[in-house]
Amino acid sequence: MNIANAVVLVTGANRGLGRALVVASLEAGAKLVYAGARDTSQLRDLAGQHDKIVPLELDITSAASVAAAAARAQDVTLLVNNAGVLAAYGVLTSTPAELEADFATNFFGTLAMTKAFLPVLERADRAAIVNVLSVVSFASMPALGGYSAAKAASFSATQALRKDLAKRTISVHGVFPGPIDTDMVRQIEMPKTSPAVVAEAIIDGVEAGLEEILPDPTSRQMFDVWKRDPKALERQFASM
Ligand SMILES: NC(=O)c1ccc[n+]([C@@H]2O[C@H](COP(=O)([O-])OP(=O)(O)OC[C@H]3O[C@@H](n4cnc5c(N)ncnc54)[C@H](OP(=O)(O)O)[C@@H]3O)[C@@H](O)[C@H]2O)c1
């Protein structure tokens, strides 16, 4: 799918990777970008820089908010499900509320967005859905066990959608980043890729029609391990 002239919606656009995806979409020639955020006042400086950015109030865990966004943004052709949380760490040490928070956003909220926007996407000649997952969708990183489980579930749903939507001219892309330099992993010391580099790779991947987008060197290296030997990636993550 060409981003030039696409109408893009990015969830979680007020900071981190989402913000970079808004900028990268415009740089690739998007006609309009809806910037979804729970608190749209956090979009003021970004929207002030470009007249093609439309702030959109959106909490993906609220059915009413998702329905209102779908009613308003009727011309979307590229839905980027970027919003995510890292609330649950170890599966045994996390509380039920932390585990539920990860699934509410990373799995149920992401799926709810896709379902709500399907009638809109179906009207376009060509449309695409991008789900921002993680390398921990491939194998659990036990230190982030709850988050890994939610991202693995979302990976599974992404594969299911690809088949379900194949006849409807809607392509479905999964993105599997390694560590990105954003608030989400601010306190974790490790090499990270800048959100701008990751965002650009995601846009390139969508344009190239890639079903699995590996947007940084760490994700590509881990994907290679997983392809060769899934148990090796499981062991590598367990040692972290
Ligand atoms: N950072 C990494 O190392 C890394 C690696 C692999 C994958 N990812 C994935 O990349 C995506 C972007 O993460 P990030 O690194 O940019 O994290 P971030 O800086 O923490 O930003 C998360 C974004 O998601 C939004 N969000 C959270 N819950 C939401 C909800 N219920 N409704 C709407 N928006 C919501 C946040 O909005 P508020 O400001 O309102 O909280 C924020 O804009 C996520 O899906 C994450 O899982 C990140």
Side-chain angles (χ1 to χ4, degrees):
M1 174 184 191
N2 283 332
I3 307 301
N5 293 321
V7 176
V8 183
L9 192 167
V10 180
T11 65
N14 52 308
R15 60 193 172 97
L17 178 59
R19 193 181 176 93
L21 280 163
V22 171
V23 174
S25 300
L26 290 171
E27 283 171 354
K31 184 158 82 180
L32 195 80
V33 183
Y34 290 102
R38 292 193 276 204
D39 174 2
T40 51
S41 73
Q42 293 181 14
L43 293 166
R44 232 173 258 143
D45 61 327
L46 184 63
Q49 289 163 26
H50 223 296
D51 58 6
K52 291 182 178 170
I53 298 175
V54 179
L56 185 68
E57 193 175 309
L58 177 58
D59 178 345
I60 67 164
T61 61
S62 155
S65 177
V66 169
R72 175 154 175 230
Q74 284 280 308
D75 49 355
V76 171
T77 59
L78 171 57
L79 170 63
V80 185
N81 285 312
N82 163 77
V85 293
L86 166 52
Y89 291 80
V91 286
L92 294 177
T93 51
S94 298
T95 64
E98 288 164 342
L99 291 162
E100 278 169 19
D102 262 33
F103 274 84
T105 309
N106 301 330
F107 179 76
F108 289 108
T110 298
L111 187 54
M113 279 297 295
T114 295
K115 284 182 82 168
F117 275 88
L118 268 188
V120 173
L121 297 171
E122 277 172 345
R123 280 201 295 274
D125 291 337
R126 267 245 59 92
I129 297 167
V130 174
N131 284 347
V132 179
L133 306 166
S134 167
V135 281
V136 302
S137 303
F138 296 129
S140 177
M141 186 177 289
L144 313 176
Y147 174 79
S148 300
K151 287 291 188 182
S154 200
F155 176 26
S156 181
T158 302
Q159 292 176 321
L161 280 171
R162 186 169 296 126
K163 194 259 161 195
D164 290 349
L165 301 182
K167 291 205 182 83
R168 304 199 215 174
T169 61
I170 303 173
S171 58
V172 178
H173 310 263
V175 182
F176 303 87
I180 313 169
D181 193 6
T182 66
D183 296 340
M184 185 172 278
V185 290
R186 188 74 65 218
Q187 76 290 3
I188 306 176
E189 284 293 324
M190 58 186 161
K192 298 167 195 167
T193 306
S194 84
V197 167
V198 173
E200 213 174 294
I202 292 172
I203 297 298
D204 288 349
V206 173
E207 292 207 308
L210 300 182
E211 293 184 349
E212 279 85 35
I213 300 174
L214 291 312
D216 58 89
T218 308
S219 67
R220 289 189 279 277
Q221 188 262 327
M222 289 174 173
F223 184 66
D224 284 344
V225 173
W226 179 70
K227 267 194 311 188
R228 254 194 334 269
D229 180 2
K231 291 297 286 183
L233 188 62
E234 181 186 333
R235 282 192 296 271
Q236 184 176 330
F237 282 167
S239 70
M240 292 170 126

